[in-house]
């Protein structure tokens, strides 16, 4: 049973928090659930971590699971960014300082060894990247990370032009793989 004073302490901590990091082993399940619920209600990003977790699972602007070692490895970068920029970027906790480079490599590998490998002989953009699929979302994210856009409309127009260009009947898996490689290289060049 959680005391009333302890609940008030939680309320006070939450009201002043910019981000909440919670080890999953917190013995009072009720307390952990209350902290997460209050964070969501207050729109404060939270992160549950444990060495028992293997993957990083996002819950909107929060992380509902991350391996403890990964969090600790990236914690200084995360805190330094918050100190200098005054904003929370949980991607830094999950992927570190060069998260865009690492994320781009993951996406490129997943698409090259997945959808592009399977469709190597009869590539069709709409079949390979059906609307709403994870592969299409990954391609969109890779495109977004490769450019700096002044606003959402400019990005949407640029991405639509990109899709129009590669949904052409003459696009092969090799051409698409080359386009994905070029997007990844643009991202990598910003960190060199």
């Amino acid at each position: 049973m959680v005391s009333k004073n302890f609940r008030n302490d939680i309320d006070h901590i939450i009201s002043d928090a910019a981000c909440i990091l919670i080890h999953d082993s917190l013995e009072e399940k009720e307390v952990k659930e209350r902290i997460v619920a209050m964070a969501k209600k207050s729109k404060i990003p939270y992160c549950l971590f444990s060495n028992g977790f293997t993957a990083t699972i996002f819950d909107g602007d929060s992380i509902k699971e991350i391996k403890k070692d990964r969090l600790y490895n990236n914690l200084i970068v995360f805190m330094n960014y918050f100190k200098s920029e005054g904003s929370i970027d949980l991607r830094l906790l999950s992927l570190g300082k060069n998260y865009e480079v690492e994320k781009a490599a993951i996406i490129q590998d997943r698409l090259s060894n997945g959808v592009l490998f399977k469709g190597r002989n009869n590539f069709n953009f709409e079949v390979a990247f059906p609307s709403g699929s994870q592969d299409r979302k990954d391609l969109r994210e890779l495109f977004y990370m490769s450019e700096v856009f002044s606003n959402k409309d400019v990005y949407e127009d640029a991405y639509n032009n990109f899709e129009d260009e590669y949904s052409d009947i003459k696009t092969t898996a090799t051409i698409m793989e080359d386009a994905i490689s070029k997007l990844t290289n643009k991202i990598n060049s910003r960190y060199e």
Side-chain angles (χ1 to χ4, degrees):
M1 181 84 177
V2 179
S3 72
K4 186 175 180 179
N5 286 341
F6 190 67
R7 286 184 187 184
N8 289 338
D9 289 343
I10 291 172
D11 292 347
H12 178 70
I13 291 168
I14 299 279
S15 68
D16 292 339
C19 181
I20 301 165
L21 306 179
I22 311 161
H23 195 286
D24 192 54
S25 69
L26 185 65
E27 289 185 19
E28 292 283 342
K29 185 178 178 184
E30 175 189 331
V31 172
K32 182 172 46 177
E33 289 172 355
R34 179 176 166 81
I35 292 169
V36 169
M38 291 177 70
K40 286 180 178 182
K41 182 179 178 186
S42 301
K43 296 186 181 353
I44 298 169
Y46 68 89
C47 178
L48 282 169
F49 62 97
S50 170
N51 231 25
F53 297 146
T54 55
T56 300
I57 301 172
F58 279 83
D59 179 18
D61 292 335
S62 296
I63 298 176
K64 74 181 201 180
E65 288 186 12
I66 188 171
K67 189 166 183 65
K68 177 182 78 174
D69 293 349
R70 183 172 302 125
L71 176 131
Y72 286 153
N73 185 61
N74 298 325
L75 189 58
I76 298 297
V77 170
F78 170 77
M79 291 186 330
N80 286 339
Y81 180 84
F82 177 72
K83 184 178 177 182
S84 69
E85 301 299 319
S87 64
I88 298 296
D89 188 345
L90 289 178
R91 296 176 300 177
L92 290 171
L93 276 179
S94 68
L95 294 171
K97 184 177 180 182
N98 296 327
Y99 63 85
E100 286 185 336
V101 170
E102 293 181 30
K103 181 74 176 195
I106 291 167
I107 291 173
Q108 181 180 16
D109 185 60
R110 189 168 40 225
L111 295 178
S112 293
N113 293 318
V115 67
L116 295 176
F117 181 77
K118 291 177 199 167
R120 178 84 37 214
N121 296 326
N122 331 340
F123 182 79
N124 176 297
F125 184 89
E126 292 301 326
V127 172
F129 299 100
S131 182
S133 69
Q134 185 60 50
D135 292 327
R136 186 82 159 250
K137 290 175 187 174
D138 284 345
L139 183 61
R140 179 182 281 271
E141 183 175 6
L142 188 64
F143 181 83
Y144 178 78
M145 288 188 302
S146 73
E147 299 285 343
V148 177
F149 296 97
S150 57
N151 64 50
K152 186 173 174 142
D153 292 335
V154 172
Y155 161 70
E156 288 297 333
D157 289 344
Y159 182 73
N160 289 336
N161 291 338
F162 173 83
E163 273 195 359
D164 289 346
E165 179 181 347
Y166 289 100
S167 63
D168 186 286
I169 193 80
K170 295 176 186 165
T171 299
T172 64
T174 303
I175 291 170
M176 194 70 228
E177 195 164 28
D178 185 53
I180 289 168
S181 181
K182 285 178 182 174
L183 294 174
T184 303
N185 290 339
K186 274 179 142 176
I187 296 163
N188 292 340
S189 69
R190 286 202 306 267
Y191 289 88
E192 292 176 340

